[in-house]
Every structure is written in structure tokens, then in C-alpha cells.
Amino acid sequence: MHKLRSLSVATLAEVLSRLLTRLKSTGGRPAAPLGSRILTNHDDIFKHNMWDHVQWTEEDKENARQKAEENSSVQIPLKEQEFPELLPSDAKSQATNRCPGDQQAEYPLPSGSDRETRQHSCHTHHHRNTDSSHRQESCQGAALEKNEAAIQTSFPGQHASFRILEVGCGVGNSVFPIVNSIKETGAFLYCCDFSLRAIQLVKDHPDYDDSVCHAFVHDICEEMASFPFPPQSLDVIMAVFVLSSIHPERMQGVVNRLSTYLKHGGTFLFRDYGRYDFSQLRFKKGRCLSENFYTRGDGTCVYFFTKEEVHDLFSKAGLEEIQNLEDRRLQVNRGKKVVMQRVWMQSKYRKS
């Protein structure tokens, strides 16, 4: 009982980070402790599905650079990209019926009501650029301030001693292991996603427990959207394979806004795609939106980070580095005898 009260923020952040790494990188069922499987004899390469701490040769790096350069040599023209609110004003009229890709790429795109949600979001973004939108935003701002004032006094999880937010939770692959581990500890988990369908699936799950978890629909790119908790109320924020699906011009604003909800001493956990990951190199020509930013066939987008970019992103938000590393692994398809060099970023930043 209440075992979490005795843990520091850093300790729980480490536990959550390891949990998310296991879930996201290996489908939830790693065959060996992560980080312990080192390939020392190349003849053994097809004995396992994954090898840790892989060192790239200079030839590997150059080959990866050339492949990325080749598949990004043809970029989708700005006027044809599905981000109307980011286009120059003279191009916006040509893109009013296009919608930005769904923010989450870790589960299949839903249909039906979610498509309507994305269309509504796109419509709202476009009309921000009209004169009437200024009056609308003013009203929204006043309403947001009123809502935040109300949240200050009453909000889900207000009595929790430890609060966690998972951004872009999808259908709950990380949510329920966390929920089951924090019951009767005094901790509370918030989880949000752009997709209404995904959040409904989370709430319909038999392990969903609103006494320790609150799932809600939220577009983290929407500047006026409010969270169901006040600023400086969270101990941990987790963004796992989420920021890469956002347009690079929006990323800094998203991290800045999220960081305002961390307590002093709170931790931001980040895991995402690294530069020259196998998934970047296998893109074909014509899928590149801008440098290291691509669109998939299902309409989702993905960006590939470097350590320096990650550090700039979080340090500009006022956070200090605890950990910022490249997780390089060798993923093996033993049936097809295919070897894939994977690169993921894994970082922890603290609000000092």
C-alpha cells in the first residue's frame, strides 16, 4: 500500500521509461532483458530477433546518408501538402479541403467518426486565418481562462500524490500496464489522444479504472485546447512515438505547452524515431515533405530526430537534460533472413 509515495520522481520515471521501451520496441514480449543481448559473433546474427547496442561503421553511416538523400531528393510541393494552416496565405485557398494527417502512427487509422473529427479539425484550422477567427479566438481565450480557473479547484485525480500524463496513448498499449501497476499507490494516470475512436477503445477496456485513470480526446497541436488539470500539476509526461508525427514547425510549441504542466522537478520522458532508422531509409521517392520529414501511405507523417535536435527541443522549453541517447539495435527477420538497423531516441528531461 502506498509504496509509490516513497519513490522519487526520478525513480518512477526510470521505471516508466523501461516499461515503455519494452512495450513499444518489442511488442510487449521481449525474449531477453533489453540492453543485454550483444552480437559478438556475426555468425550468430540470425539466432535472435533483436541485438542491442549496435555500433555503426563509417560505411554504414555513409550508406544511410546516401539512401536518405536519395529518397528525399523529390519533395512534395508545399501547396500539395496537407497542412493548410502552415501554407503561405496565397496557397491556403487551394488546400481548404485537405486535412492534416492523424497525429498517432502506432495504430491503424480509424474510419467513420474519426474521419469526421479530422475534417472538423482541418476546417477549424483553416478558419483561424479569417478576420472573424480573431473574435472567435478571443472568446475561446476567455472560456479557456474560465475553464482553467475551475480546474484549479476541482479536476480528475486532484487528490493523487503522483500524476502521470501519456500523450498520444492510442488504444492503450502502454496505459493498462501502468494502470495495473499504480493501483493503491496514490498515483493517477491521464492519457489522451487525437482520435475519438482510440479513446473510446481505452474506456471500453475491461482494465480501465476511472479511480486511477482519466482518458480524454485532445489535439496537442491545438493552442486553445485545455487539459483537465492545472499547470504545474504533473510529475511525469510521456511522449512515445508522438512528436515525430507532428509538423516540425509545431513541435517546439507543443513541447513548450506540455512543459508548463510539469511540476518543478517533474520529468519529461521522450522516445521516438532516430535519424537514419530503417523506416526512414525504406521510403520511396515522392514521400518526403521536407528534410527528414515524410508522409506514409495511410496519411500519417513521421520525422526522424538527431540527439542535437532533441536537446534543442527540450532545452528551449526550459528543461534540463538527464538522459539523451541513441538506442541503436539490429532487428532481424529470421524467416526472410533480413537485417534492419533500427535507431530510436530515448531521452529524459527535468523541469528544474
Side-chain angles (χ1 to χ4, degrees):
M1 291 289 287
H2 307 297
K3 59 184 176 182
L4 191 61
R5 298 178 190 273
S6 62
L7 295 179
S8 66
V9 172
T11 301
L12 184 61
E14 178 69 26
V15 172
L16 292 173
S17 181
R18 290 177 180 175
L19 172 64
L20 290 174
T21 301
R22 293 170 70 88
L23 288 168
K24 296 290 185 177
S25 298
T26 61
R29 296 178 296 277
L34 296 177
S36 66
R37 181 163 285 163
I38 310 298
L39 179 63
T40 56
N41 184 349
H42 195 269
D43 293 338
D44 296 334
I45 193 168
F46 292 109
K47 286 187 176 181
H48 301 292
N49 294 329
M50 187 80 73
W51 298 96
D52 303 313
H53 304 305
V54 175
Q55 299 298 314
W56 283 31
T57 65
E58 290 302 317
E59 183 180 2
D60 290 333
K61 295 176 184 178
E62 180 59 22
N63 288 339
R65 187 194 66 77
Q66 289 181 7
K67 287 182 181 179
E69 185 177 278
E70 181 182 356
N71 70 21
S72 62
S73 60
V74 178
Q75 295 188 1
I76 299 174
L78 185 61
K79 292 183 179 181
E80 296 179 16
Q81 295 185 21
E82 299 180 346
F83 297 91
E85 66 278 16
L86 298 174
L87 296 177
S89 58
D90 62 346
K92 286 174 181 171
S93 61
Q94 302 179 36
T96 55
N97 292 322
R98 296 192 179 101
C99 301
D102 196 287
Q103 291 184 34
Q104 317 311 334
E106 293 306 303
Y107 53 91
L109 280 176
S111 57
S113 61
D114 272 358
R115 185 179 294 112
E116 295 173 2
T117 300
R118 291 195 297 276
Q119 290 172 344
H120 174 72
S121 175
C122 181
H123 180 77
T124 302
H125 281 308
H126 170 67
H127 281 281
R128 286 194 200 131
N129 298 297
T130 65
D131 291 337
S132 62
S133 69
H134 296 298
R135 293 190 296 272
Q136 181 182 6
E137 287 181 0
S138 178
C139 294
Q140 287 176 335
L144 180 58
E145 290 178 2
K146 183 177 180 181
N147 288 340
E148 288 184 344
I151 289 173
Q152 292 282 352
T153 57
S154 177
F155 61 95
Q158 61 180 315
H159 299 301
S161 59
F162 198 98
R163 302 187 190 94
I164 308 160
L165 167 66
E166 182 183 3
V167 180
C169 64
V171 296
N173 292 340
S174 303
V175 169
F176 298 107
I178 296 174
V179 165
N180 292 330
S181 68
I182 65 174
K183 288 182 178 179
E184 300 184 351
T185 65
F188 194 90
L189 173 67
Y190 304 95
C191 55
C192 66
D193 198 277
F194 179 86
S195 167
L196 174 63
R197 173 62 174 162
I199 291 299
Q200 191 57 54
L201 288 172
V202 170
K203 291 184 174 180
D204 291 342
H205 194 282
D207 288 343
Y208 183 75
D209 184 348
D210 59 13
S211 68
V212 293
C213 181
H214 178 67
F216 59 101
V217 177
H218 188 89
D219 181 354
I220 58 176
C221 290
E222 174 56 68
E223 296 181 14
M224 302 303 296
S226 61
F227 285 95
F229 42 77
Q232 299 186 35
S233 61
L234 301 176
D235 294 278
V236 174
I237 294 176
M238 301 180 295
V240 181
F241 296 99
V242 174
L243 295 184
S244 58
S245 62
I246 297 172
H247 194 287
E249 292 184 18
R250 293 172 171 172
M251 289 180 190
Q252 190 65 62
V254 169
V255 175
N256 290 351
R257 288 191 295 275
L258 287 172
S259 298
T260 63
Y261 290 92
L262 275 177
K263 295 178 181 177
H264 292 293
T267 304
F268 203 125
L269 302 179
F270 170 80
R271 185 167 176 82
D272 223 312
Y273 294 102
R275 187 68 48 84
Y276 303 146
D277 176 65
F278 172 78
S279 59
Q280 177 180 11
L281 304 184
R282 69 179 179 179
F283 273 105
K284 304 298 182 183
K285 286 184 180 179
R287 306 305 303 178
C288 185
L289 295 164
S290 59
E291 190 173 3
N292 301 302
F293 187 50
Y294 302 79
T295 178
R296 302 183 180 94
D298 62 5
T300 60
C301 300
V302 58
Y303 185 82
F304 297 88
F305 294 90
T306 64
K307 288 175 62 175
E308 293 74 20
E309 289 172 342
V310 172
H311 182 75
D312 285 346
L313 193 62
F314 288 98
S315 60
K316 286 179 180 178
L319 307 181
E320 62 181 13
E321 179 182 320
I322 302 173
Q323 172 187 288
N324 185 27
L325 56 84
E326 289 179 323
D327 182 5
R328 293 181 180 271
R329 305 192 191 189
L330 202 62
Q331 189 172 351
V332 178
N333 184 323
R334 291 187 285 175
K336 297 182 179 180
K337 301 299 181 183
V338 175
V339 176
M340 298 160 280
Q341 291 179 314
R342 306 311 307 264
V343 186
W344 294 296
M345 304 309 302
Q346 183 155 312
S347 310
K348 303 174 193 175
Y349 281 79
R350 178 172 52 218
K351 189 171 186 177
S352 60

